[in-house]
Amino acid sequence: MEGDGFVLVKAKRKRKNLKSAQVTSIDNLDDMTVSRTTLDLVINTINQQDDIFISRLVEHVQRNNIAEVVCYGIGRIGSSKAAQYQLGILVELIRRCHIPCYLYDPVLSASDRSLLTTLGINVLLQNECCRRRVSTATLFFMVHSSKRMYDNVVCGNWDQLHLISILGNSFTNYLTHHTNEALHRQVPYIFKISESVTEGDLPKFMSYPDAFNDTYLLTFHVDCKDPMFQEAYTVDTKSDGDEIIMDET
């Protein structure tokens, strides 16, 4: 996640600098508290440059009858340009699909939470440690999250994986860059399900490539009657304090 707080921008004494300080542009969004107006600039840019990208997500939502979006780990919206563009895509996605969105990240500032509320996004107050058990088809919007966060999503829905899809990192890359022993120890559910995941490619995100680089649409194709999925899953219920689980990716 980019940045730990806000940078106070002080206007210069000279008039020409005062004038420039008052101009809102996408280039300085990561140096200010993001308002609805500045976010609209981001969304306008997305609609102009990345309609193919957002349309691919809309098509996925509609084809899979997804009824809600859950977003974890978006980061500090006021200090991360990547978070601003991810939010822009999220807002446009739920607007086009007319579905609710629930969002949690412990690093959100008060102004971030206020902005999200004005956008109609339900800001969760409780840390679910990414273990939310869904009751309807759900897209987990988790761009560049840690592998443990993804593992907890899979764990929480182990016997109903057909209901979830994830916008996030490639599980295949985890298999490539980690030993089986390490994966079995760190993310046992990803390790167990790895061969039953389809990773859909996305068009290149042109507006701000770093916001969605190496991001895929993950869906799960499993037979829930398989004994493996009938086993009761175990969850470490130890409190993680006020932080969402974010270990190394």
Side-chain angles (χ1 to χ4, degrees):
M1 301 300 162
E2 296 182 31
D4 293 321
F6 296 98
V7 176
L8 179 61
V9 180
K10 295 183 178 180
K12 302 294 184 179
R13 289 177 178 274
K14 295 181 180 180
R15 184 177 180 81
K16 63 179 181 180
N17 287 333
L18 282 171
K19 182 177 180 181
S20 63
Q22 295 170 354
V23 176
T24 300
S25 70
I26 293 176
D27 291 336
N28 65 13
L29 285 183
D30 54 342
D31 293 327
M32 59 191 301
T33 299
V34 177
S35 68
R36 182 64 181 268
T37 300
T38 52
L39 183 63
D40 284 344
L41 290 174
V42 170
I43 294 175
N44 287 339
T45 300
I46 289 171
N47 284 327
Q48 292 172 12
Q49 300 185 19
D50 286 292
D51 187 68
I52 294 177
F53 186 95
I54 186 65
S55 294
R56 172 71 178 89
L57 296 180
V58 170
E59 186 271 335
H60 173 80
V61 167
Q62 295 175 341
R63 186 180 71 247
N64 292 278
N65 297 315
I66 290 173
E68 65 180 18
V69 177
V70 175
C71 178
Y72 292 133
I74 198 169
R76 279 271 179 104
I77 299 165
S79 57
S80 167
K81 185 174 289 188
Q84 293 155 15
Y85 279 91
Q86 289 166 14
L87 177 60
I89 284 290
L90 179 61
V91 170
E92 190 63 10
L93 176 64
I94 61 176
R95 184 191 69 81
R96 294 191 187 189
C97 296
H98 306 288
I99 55 177
C101 176
Y102 304 88
L103 184 148
Y104 179 81
D105 196 316
V107 305
L108 294 174
S109 68
S111 59
D112 288 339
R113 291 191 292 271
S114 177
L115 172 64
L116 292 168
T117 300
T118 66
L119 294 167
I121 294 175
N122 301 286
V123 180
L124 301 173
L125 301 180
Q126 181 178 358
N127 185 356
E128 302 172 330
C129 296
C130 303
R131 298 183 183 121
R132 169 176 285 237
R133 184 168 176 81
V134 303
S135 58
T136 189
T138 301
L139 172 65
F140 284 89
F141 193 104
M142 300 173 63
V143 181
H144 302 157
S145 294
S146 75
K147 59 183 181 292
R148 189 177 174 191
M149 292 168 67
Y150 298 125
D151 197 63
N152 282 359
V153 168
V154 174
C155 171
N157 295 280
W158 184 242
D159 59 343
Q160 53 176 24
L161 290 172
H162 62 287
L163 287 179
I164 72 170
S165 55
I166 298 174
L167 179 67
N169 295 351
S170 165
F171 288 7
T172 300
N173 285 347
Y174 292 148
L175 295 175
T176 302
H177 296 98
H178 298 79
T179 65
N180 287 351
E181 180 182 356
L183 288 175
H184 187 268
R185 182 180 68 256
Q186 298 172 4
V187 285
Y189 293 93
I190 288 179
F191 181 73
K192 289 179 182 179
I193 200 63
S194 58
E195 295 183 359
S196 300
V197 180
T198 297
E199 301 182 354
D201 291 329
L202 292 168
K204 183 176 181 180
F205 187 69
M206 305 301 296
S207 298
Y208 190 72
D210 287 352
F212 290 96
N213 63 308
D214 298 323
T215 299
Y216 301 84
L217 274 170
L218 281 60
T219 52
F220 302 86
H221 304 281
V222 300
D223 179 4
C224 291
K225 296 181 180 179
D226 187 312
M228 180 174 71
F229 299 102
Q230 298 301 312
E231 297 174 1
Y233 58 83
T234 58
V235 179
D236 178 7
T237 57
K238 181 177 65 174
S239 172
D240 294 290
D242 293 329
E243 294 184 349
I244 199 167
I245 294 176
M246 290 183 181
D247 64 353
E248 73 286 352
T249 56

